[in-house]
Amino acid sequence: MAAELLVLQHIDREGPDRIAEWAAMRGLSLRLIRPDHGDPLPDPVAHGPALAVLLGGPMGVNDRHQSEFHWLKQELNWLQGWIQQKRPVLGICLGAQLLCTAAGGTVEPLTTGTPPQPLKEVGFGAISWQASSSNVPWLASHPRQQIVLHWHGDRCCLPKEAQTLASTLHCHEQAFQLGSNAVGLQFHVELSMTSLERWVSEDRDFIEAAGSTPNQIHEQAEQWGTELTEQGRSLLDGLLDHLLSQV
């Protein structure tokens, strides 16, 4: 039976973009699931071979206690069953928060300074990979530093069994893995420049709350867009190929 790519999307503007391109190149069937629309989630035990990708969204995992985000509880419960079955999964931004929480960790606001002040990371910036290709094979030939897109105001407090893979100055848990079949990315390399335009247009308040402006994001995109595209595609291809091998 051929493997299937399950993509859990949480808001219209945050779609699979380069992940869908990867699936098409591999000849994989992509099934888009919208938990926020009440779409049913596949049985973690009975479902056929599959790789799950959980995308981002403006909500946070801790919003699951609010009535309008009740579906986050259902998705979190489903994800706990998925990882208990050792099924491969990639979580991005909100997806990484869900993965961290499903594995026993917590999520809290990102802060900096003394006394701590809230911090939002928004815009293009470098991450530093802490792991090496000797213990994380899909990082082979990948640069130690990489330009990515940041768009968050929370951090994952990882469970003890998680391994931190990448960090920034203010957020230690930019990437992590749980065993060989579950990876979380707090940052974004999956989106196209066309999607970025929509993010900037629809999420202006969040950009400005982070002390940035749409013009700054556009200027950064012009500066880093080519490098982001090339390195992002390289990272995603290697990571998704690895997770596909775990199906």
Side-chain angles (χ1 to χ4, degrees):
M1 183 183 297
E4 182 181 26
L5 177 64
L6 307 173
V7 176
L8 278 64
Q9 183 173 340
H10 308 107
I11 189 171
D12 290 348
R13 67 172 175 261
E14 298 199 30
D17 286 14
R18 293 189 182 121
I19 295 169
E21 294 175 6
W22 169 85
M25 291 292 292
R26 302 301 187 272
L28 288 179
S29 171
L30 189 157
R31 175 181 168 193
L32 192 65
I33 301 171
R34 291 293 298 265
D36 58 320
H37 291 175
D39 289 354
L41 296 166
D43 187 324
V45 177
H47 194 76
L51 160 60
V53 176
L54 283 61
L55 299 176
M59 65 293 292
V61 68
N62 293 329
D63 291 331
R64 67 188 185 278
H65 304 297
Q66 300 179 27
S67 58
E68 64 182 303
F69 298 117
H70 63 90
W71 51 269
L72 275 171
K73 285 185 178 180
Q74 298 170 351
E75 184 173 347
L76 182 61
N77 290 337
W78 169 83
L79 181 56
Q80 288 173 329
W82 190 263
I83 62 177
Q84 284 171 2
Q85 294 298 315
K86 305 297 184 183
R87 297 264 199 164
V89 57
L90 169 62
I92 300 174
C93 201
L94 171 61
Q97 293 184 21
L98 285 159
L99 182 58
C100 171
T101 305
T106 59
V107 173
E108 63 181 32
L110 183 62
T111 60
T112 186
T114 305
Q117 298 295 318
L119 175 69
K120 291 179 172 61
E121 288 188 319
V122 175
F124 293 88
I127 58 167
S128 296
W129 289 100
Q130 311 298 321
S132 67
S133 58
S134 61
N135 53 15
V136 184
W138 49 268
L139 285 176
S141 303
H142 207 69
R144 297 294 292 175
Q145 289 196 321
Q146 176 177 358
I147 299 298
V148 299
L149 179 65
H150 301 281
W151 209 280
H152 69 107
D154 293 314
R155 62 179 287 253
C156 294
C157 302
L158 301 174
K160 62 181 181 179
E161 62 269 25
Q163 177 189 3
T164 300
L165 301 179
S167 302
T168 58
L169 177 62
H170 297 296
C171 184
H172 182 65
E173 308 86 2
Q174 286 286 348
F176 63 90
Q177 70 176 6
L178 295 156
S180 62
N181 61 301
V183 176
L185 305 179
Q186 183 62 75
F187 54 85
H188 298 274
V189 290
E190 80 287 357
L191 82 164
S192 66
M193 291 298 106
T194 300
S195 291
L196 178 61
E197 290 293 330
R198 185 176 181 184
W199 286 27
V200 172
S201 174
E202 296 183 8
D203 212 10
R204 186 186 185 102
D205 289 346
F206 190 77
I207 295 171
E208 294 178 345
S212 186
T213 67
N215 283 341
Q216 286 178 306
I217 302 295
H218 287 137
E219 290 171 1
Q220 291 173 346
E222 289 183 8
Q223 179 180 4
W224 300 112
T226 300
E227 186 172 351
L228 175 74
T229 298
E230 293 175 353
Q231 291 189 355
R233 184 172 287 118
S234 174
L235 174 66
L236 278 175
D237 285 356
L239 172 53
L240 290 169
D241 284 344
H242 163 74
L243 291 174
L244 183 61
S245 74
Q246 305 296 303
V247 170

